[in-house]
Amino acid sequence: MSESAAGDAHGVTGGAGPATGAAGRAGREIAPVAAGAGDGTRAVRAGLPEPAKYEPTLPGPVFAAHYHLPGEPTGPYTYGRDENPTWTLLERAVGELEAPGQGGAETLVFASGMAAISAVLFSQLRAGDVCVLPDDGYQALPLVRAQLEAYGIEVRTAPTGGDAQLDVLDGAKLLWIETPSNPGLDVCDIRRLAEAAHARGALVAVDNTLATPLGQRPLELGADFAVASGTKQLTGHGDILLGYVVGRGPEAMAAVRRWRKIVGAIPGPMEAWLAHRSIATLQMRVDRQSATALAVAEALRERPEVTGLRYPGLPDDPAHKIAARQMRRYGCVVSFTLPTRARADRFLDALRLVDDATSFGGVRSTAERRGRWGGDAVPEGFIRLSVGAEDREDLVADVLRALDASAA
Ligand SMILES: *Cc1c(COP(=O)(O)O)cnc(C)c1O
């Protein structure tokens, strides 16, 4: 497959580089967000085409399996598995958030976070390569590990806390970081790990799902790839699955693009459009949810039945020092442990404003007893609480009341 068939020879890259491609049916250029713009300004303007009379601000989803294509089959839009104008705008928007001002960065959107993660790992690694994964990361990583090993890739693991992955880097081709980790909320030093990995010739990918690009920007901290599930706080309404990869190496990203093409793990145009629409409120949601998460964590800290409380924004959290160096917002997830599984179940039952559900990052608070899935190394009473956009006083009161009600 030629580069041009891969689509990236047309300048329609999702990164913060020059936007020279058609940006929708009207062929509008994408307007870059001004350098130095604040996060709110960036979020509401990211990926919008230049204003055009009688055209909407954000063009609607383009539903197309194929495009009119007389003559030579050159892009930007040929076939719906390779390119879509709605993705182009979304990719540009994500690039504006993850890698503002980094002209060489490219963004690709995927059907889910796992599609994005798999695209990086399986496009970059070959039989005989060594890959380093966290042992306390997202619960599907052990499945990924087994698949990598089945393809002859050596996988080493280490915990996220204390930069423990440093000890197993020798000979690695790729270091995978998840910080803060889900669900344990440990944090590692991205810059330090990236420097160590690069010194050994390894690529570095960071799962940025929990932080969101408004919480941290892995590429600025030295990573080669920022990868995330857009299913969580990026889109924030608990109604779509989405993923993305932002990377700076043209060759590496061409391989990621090729992987998307051959696996076909592409987002639907409607999902892509909904995601772009949701990004406009990202700063409001992240600011509010982080502030409320801190208030909830502070309230939980006062309770004797709560142990193992983690929130990177708490000044006395073990991860706070590193988090404060590399994060600008600490996220919406608080985790803690109640004495028993029964107590945790009663607590979840007693909550009125918090749905017992998995996932996180939505405008409606959710919580779950993480041990029910069996995949994470957590105590039976471990709760992962995702703080939504409810009023802070209401949510704190609901959590405290449910703790009291579950005591019996
Ligand atoms: C949810 C999640 C994923 C997977 O994303 P999907 O969109 O569900 O495929 C990957 N990494 C982290 C940290 C997650 O929380």
Side-chain angles (χ1 to χ4, degrees):
M1 187 183 67
S2 72
E3 287 297 86
S4 103
D8 47 4
H10 312 294
V12 188
T13 61
T20 53
R25 281 160 295 189
R28 293 152 72 187
E29 300 299 307
I30 301 174
V33 180
D39 287 334
T41 309
R42 192 166 285 286
V44 298
R45 299 227 60 93
L48 296 183
E50 294 284 2
K53 200 169 186 181
Y54 309 132
E55 293 292 335
T57 309
L58 176 64
V62 176
F63 297 101
H66 58 224
Y67 304 86
H68 281 294
L69 190 64
E72 281 302 303
T74 53
Y77 301 109
T78 58
Y79 185 62
R81 181 165 24 77
D82 296 336
E83 280 297 346
N84 176 291
T86 311
W87 305 348
T88 305
L89 297 179
L90 174 61
E91 287 170 346
R92 179 66 187 223
V94 171
E96 290 274 13
L97 298 172
E98 280 281 3
Q102 296 197 32
E106 182 181 358
T107 302
L108 293 168
V109 288
F110 286 83
S112 66
M114 285 314 300
I117 289 172
S118 296
V120 171
L121 290 170
F122 291 99
S123 71
Q124 304 302 313
L125 295 166
R126 303 281 177 274
D129 285 345
V130 175
C131 169
V132 176
L133 298 180
D135 66 13
D136 51 359
Y138 183 61
Q139 63 166 352
L141 285 185
L143 298 174
V144 174
R145 174 187 187 160
Q147 195 61 52
L148 289 167
E149 287 171 345
Y151 290 150
I153 295 152
E154 184 193 330
V155 178
R156 300 178 191 153
T157 62
T160 297
D163 298 342
Q165 296 181 54
L166 282 175
D167 298 337
V168 289
L169 272 182
D170 278 342
K173 170 85 189 299
L174 191 144
L175 167 65
W176 190 271
I177 293 171
E178 186 181 307
T179 181
S181 60
N182 170 20
L185 302 181
D186 249 327
V187 170
C188 56
D189 186 334
I190 297 176
R191 195 181 289 282
R192 178 175 180 222
L193 285 171
E195 274 167 16
H198 288 157
R200 292 165 173 83
L203 290 166
V204 178
V206 177
D207 185 327
N208 206 28
T209 303
L210 212 136
T212 83
L214 296 191
Q216 80 195 355
R217 293 183 189 142
L219 264 56
E220 285 177 2
L221 296 164
D224 302 286
F225 303 97
V227 186
S229 167
T231 311
K232 314 289 170 55
Q233 199 172 19
L234 185 82
T235 60
H237 292 70
D239 50 12
I240 55 174
L241 281 100
L242 193 91
Y244 67 79
V245 177
V246 186
R248 56 161 129 247
E251 270 174 49
M253 286 307 286
V256 174
R257 183 184 288 273
R258 192 175 311 119
W259 180 266
R260 182 175 71 174
K261 179 185 177 80
I262 61 179
V263 174
I266 55 166
M270 190 68 191
E271 281 75 7
W273 181 81
L274 281 168
H276 198 163
R277 187 183 193 277
S278 303
I279 284 174
T281 56
L282 183 63
Q283 185 239 25
M284 282 186 278
R285 289 185 283 108
V286 173
D287 276 352
R288 181 176 173 104
Q289 290 173 253
S290 315
T292 309
L294 179 61
V296 168
E298 283 167 346
L300 288 169
R301 190 173 45 184
E302 305 306 316
R303 299 290 299 217
E305 68 271 58
V306 168
T307 56
L309 174 67
R310 295 302 302 266
Y311 183 66
L314 272 179
D316 52 354
D317 186 276
H320 183 70
K321 242 178 92 182
I322 306 170
R325 273 211 303 270
Q326 66 191 19
M327 299 182 76
R328 297 183 300 139
R329 297 170 176 87
Y330 300 107
C332 62
V333 179
V334 178
S335 58
F336 58 97
T337 301
L338 291 176
T340 62
R341 172 180 175 158
R343 175 79 191 267
D345 281 335
R346 288 201 301 275
F347 168 71
L348 293 169
D349 262 356
L351 289 164
R352 291 183 193 135
L353 295 178
V354 183
D355 295 334
D356 190 342
T358 194
S359 200
F360 60 85
V363 289
R364 296 172 197 90
S365 293
T366 56
E368 69 173 337
R369 198 177 62 76
R370 196 61 189 169
R372 67 180 174 170
W373 296 95
D376 303 307
V378 293
E380 285 286 2
F382 180 96
I383 305 269
R384 188 184 67 189
L385 170 62
S386 171
V387 171
E390 299 86 0
D391 286 294
R392 181 188 312 194
E393 300 72 23
D394 294 342
L395 195 62
V396 169
D398 195 44
V399 167
L400 295 180
R401 190 194 44 72
L403 279 176
D404 289 339
S406 62

